[in-house]
Amino acid sequence: MSRVSLSPEMLYNIDAYWRAANYLSVGQIYLYANPLLRRPLVLADIKRMLLGHWGTTPGQNFIYVHLNRIIKKYDLDMIYIAGPGHGGPAVVANTYLEGTYSEIYPEISQDEAGLQKLFLQFSFPGGIPSHASPECPGSIHEGGELGYSLSHAFGAVFDHPELIVACVVGDGEAETGPLATAWHSNKFLNLVHDGVVLPILHLNGYKISNPSILARIPRAELEQLLQGYGWTPYFVEGNDPAFMHETMSTTLDSVIEKIQAIQYEARTMGELHRPSWPMIVLCSPKGWTGPQVVDDVQIEGTFRAHQVPLIVSESTPATHLAMLENWMLSYRPDELFDATGKLFPALAALAPEGQRRMGANPHANGGVLLRDLLLPDFRAYAETLQQRGMLGIGDMHVLGRFLRDIVVANKARRNFRIFGPDETLSNGLKSVFEVTSRQWNAKIAANDEFLAQDGMVLDSMLSEHQCEGWLEGYLLTGRHGVFTCYEAFIHIIDSMFNQHAKWLKVAAQLPWRAKIASLNIVLTSHVWRQDHNGFTHQDPGFIDYVLNKKASIIRVYLPPDANCLLSVMDHCLRSRHYVNVVIAGKHPAPQWLSMEAAVTHCAQGIGIWDWASNDQGEMPDVVMACCGDVPTLETLAAISILREHLPDLKIRCINIVDLARLQPATEHPHGLSDTDFDDLFTTHQPVVFAFHSYPWLIHRLTYDRINQRNIHVHGYQEEGTITTQFDMTVLNELDRFHLVMDVIDHLPQANDKTRQLKQLVEEKLIKHGKYIRLYGEDMPEISKWHWNPTPRHSATE
């Protein structure tokens, strides 16, 4: 070793601090009482149910104490991401030792009584989870999210030029698709405006019960793999604590100085070529410093150390209790904690101070850094409604102009980005490239478009996982953003959305966690306009999945036209601590509402469109409801047909923008009371409902309403192919003709006019099936709209 970083005193103190963290970690897994072993352990001191993960924990404790040293030495602004999710004992132990935990939770005090509570709460009813969770200070990454740590880390450093994220990647986690792809995120860092991610690949050799791949391939192969990803790996390997402390210390000094040199060359000398960023590969035994052998079976350094390495209970040999006691005493707690149970001052002084502590860094509580977006008036981007049903340029294209100017307004603040997997152009947002580029730090060829080393769009990676993970990291550290995606492929990030929604739910219950900007997911290229991609691209089921999450967190919007989309997006971008899912089309589509009417309609979330109704305040014969842009078009076309052929039929048209309005007020804060729902949908009249997604979701949302049995929903029925827009609706019985037939079938009495209309509609469908499917010709749009010239109420009421 050519360089020595640690004096003998510092070596001793760092090792002692590490022992303290290990001691606290073991205590969290095992102890119900007697936290400092002031007396011999007895079975009554042991938790009845032992839960937790030891295998990754000592390695993470080792990393944490060494990061503390370099934070102090170099005055770094650093946060910590625990990729091996179940290393919860480590992050809790270290934030307790640095003092952050007790500041946030005063009842977990820096004494023996506080230790007792710290140990008892871990994996205990009413306590905290066994993984890195929102309850833990300094955490932005849910411990169950295996595979997303590196994505979150890069999202956190975008537009935070001074921030370093130390991201521990477990070797099991490294085998997941999202993590394997995330190594490429280094091609998207801007050397001037972004911070740095320091990956620490923790090779402890095993997963739950299998060896890890990266730990079993030859060293040269692993090194070539990481170099191929664009990293310079530094290896720290061994099991002797003194040797490992010195090696880790020396390595971290080299790595930090390399990072600072890169940034200096870029920010002072103008050297902006993409560097090979340093990273660390830590090779240490799984379950390091724990029991080596239990009942003649090797534990340390094997998969058996993954969870609880030593079972202590009434049904296990008495020797296990003694082994646990010896294990904990091996950390020499009397050298670590004073008579009151407080960490000795010489050891406590190793931790950084104030907000330099990783548990207290404000980037890990991003809401405290959040500033409101500067938003132009969305009304200025309105589609002028010259005639109802006029063809617009495509709702997403209109939104693109709004997003373009949001980028401009917030460019100096650098707190807003657009994310999407190679789809910003495809999704109709070309306008944003008038003012910014795609950020990209790899080679740029002469015929590339909109690529630059600095840009507020991140869409040059064809990975929904990375775009979602980057945005989550960006939001969790105090910024704003939008993720646009093809509707059918948003399912790729189902589990990521799931974890983020759970994070928001728990964080909202913690008064010390400030609310963050909402996760805004815009789905386009949707099921009803996949004209050439076919069946594989036709799946609107993400909203079914979304609505399983807590109502306090979830919002789903289906604006019927461009002006409604503008109003909805303005609201979503101003909101806090939600997941907003917005579904909108990008193709030219009819426009229905003036901006004034759209604002009113979106604020209400649901309403009667009087100009499309003719019930004139009386009980309607039928209610025709619609939710989504294409369902709205088909419903209005059906109403046009009905009013032409059955002028005496009283029809009420209801449009839904905010899907949660269908739920009872007792189930969702946006839900309608039973009285309001009944006023809209009646208590006994037929309701023919055209819906964007799977029909049964509407039945699920309205299952407890009085008139539920009379609601007949038309939606996607898993029928699709390469086809035309209108044929797609016919295949799934969402088209105007099927809607008309459903109305006729549910009228109480048939007459000559209804029978004639039904025959006419059946002939239309037969003709469509016989000719249109063969020759690809679409049915003509209904051009004659029979809107009521004297509506019952004004459109803006």
Side-chain angles (χ1 to χ4, degrees), residues 233-259:
Y234 291 70
F235 287 83
V236 177
E237 183 172 10
N239 60 9
D240 175 70
F243 171 81
M244 290 291 280
H245 285 308
E246 183 59 53
T247 305
M248 186 66 165
S249 177
T250 302
T251 300
L252 276 171
D253 281 350
S254 298
V255 163
I256 295 304
E257 290 166 13
K258 177 65 174 176
I259 288 171

Side-chain angles (χ1 to χ4, degrees), residues 208-448:
I208 294 176
S209 60
N210 278 289
S212 59
I213 294 172
L214 297 185
R216 293 293 179 92
I217 62 177
R219 171 60 54 81
E221 186 177 341
L222 175 61
E223 192 166 0
Q224 290 168 1
L225 174 69
L226 297 173
Q227 289 173 344
Y229 277 127
W231 299 92
T232 298
Y234 291 70
F235 287 83
V236 177
E237 183 172 10
N239 60 9
D240 175 70
F243 171 81
M244 290 291 280
H245 285 308
E246 183 59 53
T247 305
M248 186 66 165
S249 177
T250 302
T251 300
L252 276 171
D253 281 350
S254 298
V255 163
I256 295 304
E257 290 166 13
K258 177 65 174 176
I259 288 171
Q260 291 180 335
I262 292 171
Q263 292 181 326
Y264 175 81
E265 291 172 1
R267 298 173 184 182
T268 305
M269 309 301 292
E271 294 292 335
L272 299 179
H273 300 293
R274 179 171 63 88
S276 178
W277 290 102
M279 63 169 292
I280 293 173
V281 181
L282 173 64
C283 306
S284 63
K286 195 172 183 79
W288 194 12
T289 74
Q292 292 191 1
V293 178
V294 177
D295 298 334
D296 298 323
V297 176
Q298 181 71 30
I299 302 297
E300 186 187 68
T302 76
F303 67 87
R304 298 179 183 88
H306 182 76
Q307 293 180 303
V308 180
L310 175 67
I311 304 300
V312 181
S313 69
E314 294 178 351
S315 60
T316 58
T319 54
H320 286 202
L321 180 63
M323 291 179 67
L324 173 61
E325 185 172 42
N326 291 334
W327 175 16
M328 297 193 72
L329 288 174
S330 72
Y331 299 121
R332 306 193 296 280
D334 288 344
E335 298 178 10
L336 311 174
F337 305 98
D338 65 18
T340 68
K342 188 174 183 179
L343 189 69
F344 282 122
L347 302 182
L350 293 179
E353 297 178 356
Q355 292 186 347
R356 283 299 193 239
R357 295 171 296 175
M358 289 189 284
N361 192 305
H363 293 98
N365 187 9
V368 302
L369 302 176
L370 186 64
R371 292 194 293 174
D372 290 344
L373 273 180
L374 299 176
L375 293 175
D377 185 353
F378 67 93
R379 296 168 181 83
Y381 305 87
E383 287 274 76
T384 301
L385 190 68
Q386 299 171 343
Q387 179 182 359
R388 293 199 198 277
M390 59 172 265
L391 197 64
I393 62 172
D395 300 351
M396 288 293 292
H397 292 270
V398 176
L399 177 64
R401 300 166 180 170
F402 183 45
L403 294 179
R404 173 199 63 199
D405 292 351
I406 294 174
V407 169
V408 173
N410 295 277
K411 202 162 191 176
R413 294 186 173 191
R414 299 191 69 91
N415 66 340
F416 175 75
R417 287 189 183 243
I418 298 168
F419 301 79
D422 190 31
E423 292 168 359
T424 304
L425 280 172
S426 177
N427 287 336
L429 302 181
K430 184 177 182 179
S431 293
V432 301
F433 294 119
E434 297 171 12
V435 297
T436 191
S437 299
R438 302 177 172 111
Q439 185 159 302
W440 171 263
N441 201 7
K443 181 180 177 181
I444 299 177
N447 59 354
D448 290 333

Side-chain angles (χ1 to χ4, degrees), residues 683-705:
T683 59
H684 59 281
Q685 296 297 85
V687 178
V688 176
F689 199 128
F691 180 47
H692 175 86
S693 185
Y694 293 97
W696 39 90
L697 179 57
I698 299 301
H699 292 298
R700 171 184 149 199
L701 297 178
T702 61
Y703 77 98
D704 206 27
R705 302 296 193 177

